[in-house]
Each structure stands twice: as structure tokens, then as C-alpha cells.
Amino acid sequence: MYNRKPEGPLAEAVREIVEPQGYRLVSFSSEVIRQRPHVHCVLHHPEGIVLDALAELHRALEPRLEALLETRDLRVEFSSPGISRVLTSFHEFDVFCGCRVQVLCPGASEWISGTILSADEGSCVIRTDDGREETFSPEMITKARLTE
């Protein structure tokens, strides 16, 4: 599994605004569509995402991004990761610490289910449904997804 944490000045600006509010940046993209910058942020909060809080984040973040992109014609979108999100980068294990997950290892035919106990950029610890604590590195995971 790849380990691509969102990076760069725009992603850092987003983190500086959202993390003090308890949100985590799961993924980030920025592109120009019809000569207008579009910024898309996938955010996670352990207690869920509240629309009023997103409106506050938008009001705080938009002027910062406008300054960085040197434009006032900007589109900023937020979304949540969803209940059964497929994890696309190993850094997401840290973001979703405490959540239920299924992982598939190379050559395995069965998914391993459990709860993410801890994670950093080099490994994650999952308490499996049978009570064992297993440590995984990015190379040990072919696919992963959140579960309920």
C-alpha cells in the first residue's frame, strides 16, 4: 500500500485551519477547471461531520487559499470519507485510529477484520476480531477498507 500523505502549501494551510477543530485531512486535491481553481478536501472527525462546522471551516479557509492561489475566484469543496471508505494511502490508518477496518494481505484470500489501535507512517496495530494485536507495515497490506 502506498503512503501518500497530502502535502504542499495548500494542504498545510488546510491542516492549520481544520486540525485545531478536531478534523483530520484524509485526502486533498487541487485542479484548475475552466480557468478556476477547485480545491477538494476529504475530512474526518471522530464524532462525525456537522454542516454548520463545515461552513465555519469554509469561511476560515477560503481567504487563506485565495491568498495562496492569488485569486478570488475559487471553489472549495468538503466531503466526508464515507462509512465503507477504501483506504488509498497508509497515512489513513492514523487518521482513522479507533475505527473498524478490514485489511487484505498479499496472497491471502481472507480479509482480516478488527479495530485500528495505533498507527504512524511505518506501521499500524490492529486488534483483530479474535482479540490478537497484529502489526502491519505498508508492504503487508494489499487493500484496506473501513467497516461498520
Side-chain angles (χ1 to χ4, degrees):
M1 173 172 270
Y2 294 108
N3 197 1
R4 291 178 291 217
K5 184 176 181 178
E7 295 180 348
L10 295 177
E12 288 306 316
V14 171
R15 265 194 208 89
E16 289 172 9
I17 299 290
V18 304
E19 287 185 355
Q21 306 302 318
Y23 288 86
R24 298 289 304 272
L25 182 60
V26 178
S27 67
F28 173 86
S29 65
S30 173
E31 61 184 326
V32 176
I33 301 173
R34 294 190 196 120
Q35 300 176 331
R36 183 179 185 199
H38 287 235
V39 174
H40 183 252
C41 307
V42 178
L43 301 176
H44 171 70
H45 193 287
E47 296 172 12
I49 294 181
V50 179
L51 191 57
D52 289 342
L54 286 182
E56 277 183 44
L57 291 175
H58 188 277
R59 284 191 292 276
L61 185 60
E62 191 172 44
R64 183 83 171 271
L65 294 176
E66 286 175 343
L68 286 169
L69 293 169
E70 298 177 348
T71 183
R72 293 189 51 84
D73 187 22
L74 172 69
R75 181 173 179 167
V76 179
E77 296 176 351
F78 295 113
S79 65
S80 68
I83 295 171
S84 57
R85 176 183 176 82
V86 173
L87 278 61
T88 59
S89 175
F90 196 77
H91 88 278
E92 293 181 37
F93 283 92
D94 179 46
V95 172
F96 295 111
C97 198
C99 295
R100 299 232 351 114
V101 69
Q102 289 183 318
V103 296
L104 186 64
C105 298
S109 59
E110 299 282 324
W111 290 82
I112 299 170
S113 297
T115 302
I116 304 168
L117 296 180
S118 64
D120 58 31
E121 61 187 46
S123 67
C124 71
V125 178
I126 297 173
R127 178 176 295 125
T128 62
D129 287 347
D130 60 9
R132 293 178 291 125
E133 289 186 13
E134 293 194 32
T135 302
F136 297 88
S137 67
E139 300 79 28
M140 296 171 66
I141 298 175
T142 303
K143 293 181 183 178
R145 63 185 176 213
L146 296 179
T147 60
E148 293 182 51

